[in-house]
Amino acid sequence: MRNKAASRLDSGALRRVLRRFHADLVAAEQIINDLNVFPVPDGDTGTNCVLTLQSGLPVLDKGRTALPTMLDGLAGALALGARGNSGVILAEYLRGWASLDGDGWGAEELHAALAAGAT
């Protein structure tokens, strides 16, 4: 039988996910920069995403343990540190996540967070 607590995304798990996402963005930065991005191939989409996400990483170390509190701080930091259009889009996507309540997301809450981010 699966442990229900282990199947929920809490602030600790999301911290690990975001740090891994940052590491993966850094690794793929040049590949993303080389993509022909809409509306123009500006050559810095990967860099802007890396720098935007990097601007929010210190929030993850501030001891905020509740998921909504951590996400609200992260969304604010990303909005202030957003670089270029791609950075603004990334920041707004995470702001959608921060609009949700609950300290520990299951599949339904994660789906709602992704939908809120897309909106």
Side-chain angles (χ1 to χ4, degrees):
M1 182 173 192
R2 287 180 48 188
N3 180 349
K4 286 192 177 205
S7 65
R8 299 192 67 77
L9 184 68
D10 62 10
S11 59
L14 188 58
R15 279 184 181 90
R16 290 187 298 276
V17 167
L18 290 169
R19 289 189 192 291
R20 176 63 187 263
F21 176 48
H22 178 258
D24 288 346
L25 266 177
V26 168
E29 180 179 348
Q30 191 56 52
I31 293 168
I32 296 169
N33 283 342
D34 292 341
L35 291 173
N36 188 0
V37 200
F38 179 82
V40 295
D42 56 12
D44 62 357
T45 299
T47 301
N48 287 339
C49 286
V50 166
L51 293 173
T52 298
L53 187 57
Q54 190 172 311
S55 71
L57 292 180
V59 170
L60 303 181
D61 299 323
K62 290 192 175 181
R64 294 184 168 118
T65 56
L67 187 57
T69 304
M70 184 190 78
L71 282 170
D72 189 52
L74 180 63
L78 292 180
L80 291 174
R83 301 282 185 99
N85 291 334
S86 52
V88 170
I89 291 167
L90 179 60
E92 286 301 306
Y93 193 79
L94 268 288
R95 180 160 303 284
W97 288 26
S99 70
L100 301 177
D101 289 326
D103 193 24
W105 295 346
E108 289 180 24
E109 293 87 358
L110 182 57
H111 175 73
L114 294 171
T119 298

